[in-house]
Amino acid sequence: MGTKPRFDRSFPATIAPVDGIEGSPRALAAWMRANRDTIDLQLRNEGALLVRGFHVESPEAFNDVATALRPELMRYVGGDSPRSRVGDRVYTSTEFPSEMAIGLHNELSYTRAWPQCLFFCCLIAARSGGETPIADSRRVLAAM
């Protein structure tokens, strides 16, 4: 594969190619399939992973990467955010005006079935702002 991703120890932990080699979505998906148990342990312990440097540039490539880790992705059913489908089980972010804030929440926690993992991908960077803040809800609850 030529690329050996690594974990760092910050929150969220980051997976990135090493030695200055930029990775491909195909290499990332293969690595995720081969290391699913390690990634799952990291997710359970840390709550999130940030994947950078693999040039995921299309909804199809994003779907390939996400299904490498979770082959059975959920459809966005029962949610109350306005979203558009852009690929097989790939949707836009909440389509609110940029001046509106979206508070910390647990995705679809009010439904009978919620996702094990959430995957985010930025295909078109915002001209300004464009942040997706995340937090480990377990740590937030413990701090309260």
Side-chain angles (χ1 to χ4, degrees):
M1 170 162 63
T3 301
K4 294 180 180 162
R6 61 167 168 72
F7 291 105
D8 76 5
R9 298 297 305 158
S10 61
F11 180 84
T14 302
I15 299 173
V18 295
D19 301 326
I21 301 168
E22 291 301 318
S24 69
R26 176 178 282 162
L28 175 60
W31 184 83
M32 290 177 96
R33 275 190 295 279
N35 293 280
R36 190 176 292 151
D37 290 342
T38 301
I39 295 168
D40 283 344
L41 179 62
Q42 183 78 15
L43 285 170
R44 276 192 303 277
N45 291 338
E46 301 300 324
L49 296 175
L50 175 62
V51 177
R52 285 208 160 141
F54 292 92
H55 302 291
V56 178
E57 298 175 341
S58 71
E60 295 78 19
F62 180 59
N63 185 69
D64 291 347
V65 168
T67 57
L69 191 59
R70 290 292 181 270
E72 299 298 322
L73 295 177
M74 292 177 61
R75 297 202 181 279
Y76 186 69
V77 176
D80 59 4
S81 269
R83 296 187 178 158
S84 299
R85 184 173 171 245
V86 295
D88 184 29
R89 297 185 176 140
V90 177
Y91 302 86
T92 60
S93 181
T94 299
E95 296 172 358
F96 282 167
S98 60
E99 62 273 4
M100 293 186 71
I102 301 171
L104 181 64
H105 64 284
N106 292 293
E107 189 69 22
L108 296 172
S109 61
Y110 51 84
T111 64
R112 297 183 115 201
W114 51 87
Q116 291 179 344
C117 292
L118 295 179
F119 298 87
F120 299 92
C121 180
C122 179
L123 298 180
I124 302 170
R127 292 182 187 183
S128 66
E131 298 172 343
T132 302
I134 62 169
D136 184 335
S137 294
R138 301 168 297 186
R139 293 179 188 171
V140 171
L141 179 61
M144 292 170 47

